[in-house]
Amino acid sequence: MAVLPIASYAQDSITISHSHEYPNTFSSGSANVQQFDNESRKYNDWAVSIGGGPAFMTFADVTSFYGDKIKWGWNAYASIDKQINHTFGVDLQYQMGETKQQAELVTNPAAGIANAWTKYKQVSILGDVNFSNLLRRVDNNSPYRWALHGYLGGGIMSFQTELIDNDASRWSTNPPRIPIRNDQKFEISSFFWQAAVGLKYNISKLVDVEARVIYINSMDEEFDGGGEGRSLDTPMGDRINYNLINESYSDKAMSFTLGLSFKLGKHDTHLAWHDPLQEVYGRMHHIENTNVDFVVCEKGDADNDGVCDDWDRQLDTPAGARVDGAGVALDMDLDGVIDLYDKCVTVAGPLENNGCPK
């Protein structure tokens, strides 16, 4: 029962009861403990990105590639990027563009070559994986400026399409004809997903340049301008069913963009360009390859008692006197006469009697 309270209070706890308190540094093993807030960050982790380039309707019924011709479109994006750690980030992205397509109905030669276009706007959330920080050799001490990124995510979009041919889908009043048109609004039913691969180059601590290849899966049969559905149950029959050209039920597009990322913050390094394992290996390499000259008794040992003056508590110890670890002359019987001059080392006595009792 006497030991129990001693054992209880001997265990120093590292738990804290308030958010402004810090763990006990002796128990936690770290003397560099501080509250984690914006002021304690070491790296920038926000960025704004913009980019643009050509876009094509690639895997669909009505495509940007017909015969030996290429119908060029465009794509542009802007995003707010948050880096979670050195390998993963999240982007909130707005994207817009236009693709141009052509197709021909085998079942209706009178239609000729149909021309279509698609204008789209998209809002999405993307996960950003830094493959270079996952695959790079961390024992390489040299700085790196290239990084391979992968993006995957989804969102909702709106789009407008139009298709015109020489037969049923054209502007005409006699007989009455109108082009095939679609107008998809922003809503849950317009969900799409996309993936991208980007190669980034670190120009400076403020700016990155990136080349991306973006793949867009519309999850929609109408995205290429081919019209609504695949049914032949229409007055025009197979004369307007462009969605039957191939078996694909989801139209897909691709774009090739060149963009800039503007890194926000006051620090010299962005978190995406920092690899903690490389830093650890770099410090280990530095320690292993640095010759450290240890200086013993930097201030010397003035009294030659074997205890350096750096921590000697008695700098004028008489020559020949035995001392403790602090450089203080020993006095075994604590009578005020050091053992060097004490004739009775184990029995206390006055100085005038050489440390022996009278």
Side-chain angles (χ1 to χ4, degrees), residues 123-159:
V123 177
S124 59
I125 296 178
L126 303 175
D128 175 5
V129 178
N130 188 337
F131 290 111
S132 292
N133 271 352
L134 287 174
L135 304 176
R136 183 183 290 110
R137 286 185 55 178
V138 294
D139 57 349
N140 183 357
N141 298 314
S142 61
Y144 53 90
R145 304 184 74 91
W146 293 94
L148 180 65
H149 285 249
Y151 304 88
L152 181 65
I156 59 175
M157 66 175 173
S158 69
F159 60 84

Side-chain angles (χ1 to χ4, degrees), residues 233-258:
D233 297 330
T234 65
M236 295 297 179
D238 60 0
R239 293 170 62 189
I240 61 172
N241 279 273
Y242 287 88
N243 287 334
L244 293 176
I245 293 178
N246 63 40
E247 297 181 357
S248 172
Y249 277 82
S250 178
D251 301 328
K252 307 168 185 67
M254 293 188 69
S255 64
F256 303 85
T257 62
L258 188 64

Side-chain angles (χ1 to χ4, degrees), residues 12 77 81 111 123 147 174 189 201 214 238 247 314 316:
D12 193 5
Y77 69 88
D81 312 326
V123 177
N174 188 23
S189 62
Y201 179 74
I214 304 174
D238 60 0
E247 297 181 357
Q314 189 178 54
D316 56 351

Side-chain angles (χ1 to χ4, degrees), residues 107-356:
T107 57
N108 185 14
I113 299 176
N115 290 280
W117 54 259
T118 300
K119 295 180 180 179
Y120 58 89
K121 298 177 181 179
Q122 301 169 332
V123 177
S124 59
I125 296 178
L126 303 175
D128 175 5
V129 178
N130 188 337
F131 290 111
S132 292
N133 271 352
L134 287 174
L135 304 176
R136 183 183 290 110
R137 286 185 55 178
V138 294
D139 57 349
N140 183 357
N141 298 314
S142 61
Y144 53 90
R145 304 184 74 91
W146 293 94
L148 180 65
H149 285 249
Y151 304 88
L152 181 65
I156 59 175
M157 66 175 173
S158 69
F159 60 84
Q160 295 177 327
T161 69
E162 182 174 290
L163 182 145
I164 298 177
D165 63 17
N166 296 326
D167 184 34
S169 178
R170 60 187 174 89
W171 289 109
S172 175
T173 57
N174 188 23
R177 299 282 190 268
I178 58 172
I180 297 175
R181 285 181 163 182
N182 292 106
D183 188 3
Q184 173 66 55
K185 306 299 184 182
F186 275 111
E187 54 188 35
I188 299 299
S189 62
S190 64
F191 176 82
F192 78 101
W193 68 270
Q194 67 175 340
V197 176
L199 184 62
K200 274 190 177 182
Y201 179 74
N202 185 14
I203 297 178
S204 67
K205 69 177 184 179
L206 299 177
V207 181
D208 294 339
V209 62
E210 181 179 20
R212 283 189 190 180
V213 179
I214 304 174
Y215 171 84
I216 301 172
N217 190 325
S218 69
M219 309 290 288
D220 200 315
E221 182 72 293
E222 306 168 7
F223 189 57
D224 63 352
E228 298 181 0
R230 304 169 64 87
S231 174
L232 292 175
D233 297 330
T234 65
M236 295 297 179
D238 60 0
R239 293 170 62 189
I240 61 172
N241 279 273
Y242 287 88
N243 287 334
L244 293 176
I245 293 178
N246 63 40
E247 297 181 357
S248 172
Y249 277 82
S250 178
D251 301 328
K252 307 168 185 67
M254 293 188 69
S255 64
F256 303 85
T257 62
L258 188 64
L260 296 174
S261 293
F262 301 94
K263 293 167 282 189
L264 308 177
K266 63 182 180 179
H267 300 289
D268 292 334
T269 305
H270 192 275
L271 186 55
W273 292 103
H274 171 72
D275 190 339
L277 286 178
Q278 187 189 45
E279 180 181 4
V280 170
Y281 275 84
R283 291 184 178 183
M284 291 174 58
H285 176 80
H286 176 74
I287 294 174
E288 292 172 353
N289 293 274
T290 300
N291 294 323
V292 179
D293 296 328
F294 292 98
V295 179
V296 180
C297 290
E298 183 176 357
K299 295 181 180 180
D301 182 10
D303 52 10
N304 294 316
D305 60 357
V307 180
C308 299
D309 292 349
D310 303 72
W311 52 83
D312 196 334
R313 294 176 56 190
Q314 189 178 54
L315 298 176
D316 56 351
T317 305
R322 294 184 302 165
V323 297
D324 60 13
V328 179
L330 294 178
D331 180 9
M332 295 290 293
D333 52 13
L334 302 177
D335 58 1
V337 182
I338 64 174
D339 293 351
L340 178 65
Y341 304 129
D342 199 332
K343 299 297 185 181
C344 302
V345 177
T346 59
V347 182
L351 175 62
E352 58 271 16
N353 201 35
N354 296 322
C356 293

